[in-house]
Amino acid sequence: MADETSLDLEELRQLQSIAKRPRILSLLSSEIRSLEKLSQGNIPLAATATATPLQAKVNPTPVLNYTTLGSFSWDQDNDKVKIYVSLEGVQEEKIEATFKSMSFDIKFHDVQGKNCQFAIPKLNKEIVPEKCKVTVKPTRVMITLIKASKGNWLDLHFKEDKLKPNLDKEKDPMAGIMDLMKNMYDEGDDEMKRTIAKAWTDARSGKTADPLKGYR
């Protein structure tokens, strides 16, 4: 192939020497340059590049672990409840607070290398979520809950009144009293249990129609 290229070059140069028209001279010069490069091995082979599609890396969302804060103190007035949690190193911008009408959940991120959580899943009474707030102090955090209705709370947590009888009018009127006796029996001391057991037995045997007669 090298010999053929040399012969072609020689003939083209001869033609160039006798050509007179500028267009013909330009074409011959261009072809001569191409063959000269080919003979010198300067023409690179066309590289076929196969594009490898880039795959975006999706980093999985890390699962955060939280330390539950169980120690706190609280006080109240007629309008609000204040809860105090001892916790140092809290950054206000790293607090995630969720207030609902009967609960709240507060998460403290990156507190001295760990994440903490303080929550009450069911409050004693309703609050006004949009008015509640978290205040950061140097050595503690203060959570302010605004009461939906003024009054005194007996506890922060909701507690069902077990001593309140079920007075559904469609049910047996004695059912509420029997439920009350059962709750008193479950929570009473040994003497109370003996007394209620006797009253219950008498009521079942028909000795008395009112099991609470004599205990009111």
Side-chain angles (χ1 to χ4, degrees):
M1 181 177 177
D3 294 338
E4 290 292 331
T5 302
S6 298
L7 293 173
D8 290 343
L9 274 171
E10 184 179 349
E11 188 169 339
L12 284 171
R13 290 190 181 108
Q14 289 176 0
L15 291 172
Q16 187 183 36
S17 65
I18 63 175
K20 294 180 180 180
R21 297 184 63 82
R23 177 177 172 80
I24 301 302
L25 288 169
S26 177
L27 290 172
L28 289 171
S29 297
S30 177
E31 187 65 23
I32 289 170
R33 285 195 298 270
S34 296
L35 287 176
E36 285 175 345
K37 289 180 181 180
L38 181 62
S39 65
Q40 295 171 5
N42 291 332
I43 298 180
L45 296 175
T48 303
T50 303
T52 303
L54 297 176
Q55 295 182 351
K57 292 184 178 180
V58 179
N59 295 323
T61 303
V63 178
L64 298 179
N65 295 317
Y66 292 91
T67 300
T68 301
L69 302 172
S71 179
F72 65 93
S73 60
W74 67 288
D75 61 20
Q76 65 176 315
D77 58 27
N78 206 36
D79 300 308
K80 59 184 174 295
V81 173
K82 290 185 177 181
I83 304 171
Y84 307 97
V85 181
S86 296
L87 191 63
E88 295 184 23
V90 175
Q91 301 176 61
E92 193 166 351
E93 65 274 13
K94 294 186 178 182
I95 297 176
E96 180 184 342
T98 303
F99 294 99
K100 297 182 180 180
S101 60
M102 283 293 292
S103 67
F104 70 82
D105 185 355
I106 302 175
K107 295 174 181 177
F108 307 95
H109 296 109
D110 194 19
V111 181
Q112 298 180 359
K114 63 182 180 180
N115 301 314
C116 303
Q117 182 178 23
F118 180 72
I120 295 182
K122 193 168 185 180
L123 290 164
N124 185 280
K125 294 182 181 180
E126 290 190 11
I127 59 174
V128 184
E130 60 271 18
K131 293 185 179 181
C132 299
K133 63 180 181 178
V134 181
T135 305
V136 177
K137 302 289 185 181
T139 60
R140 67 180 182 177
V141 173
M142 182 175 70
I143 303 163
T144 303
L145 307 178
I146 304 301
K147 298 177 180 178
S149 57
K150 295 183 179 182
N152 186 63
W153 288 15
L154 297 179
D155 199 339
L156 278 180
H157 298 268
F158 174 82
K159 289 186 178 180
E160 186 177 358
D161 188 359
K162 294 183 178 181
L163 295 180
K164 184 178 180 179
N166 185 353
L167 299 179
D168 190 341
K169 293 182 179 179
E170 296 182 0
K171 294 184 178 180
D172 182 354
M174 289 297 295
I177 297 176
M178 299 304 290
D179 287 342
L180 175 60
M181 289 184 63
K182 184 177 183 303
N183 289 330
M184 292 173 63
Y185 182 87
D186 290 339
E187 297 183 2
D189 56 18
D190 291 342
E191 182 63 29
M192 176 63 75
K193 288 181 179 180
R194 284 195 294 270
T195 302
I196 292 176
K198 183 177 184 304
W200 205 331
T201 302
D202 290 346
R204 287 179 176 273
S205 63
K207 291 183 180 180
T208 175
D210 184 355
L212 292 183
K213 185 178 180 181
Y215 304 100
R216 293 174 175 170

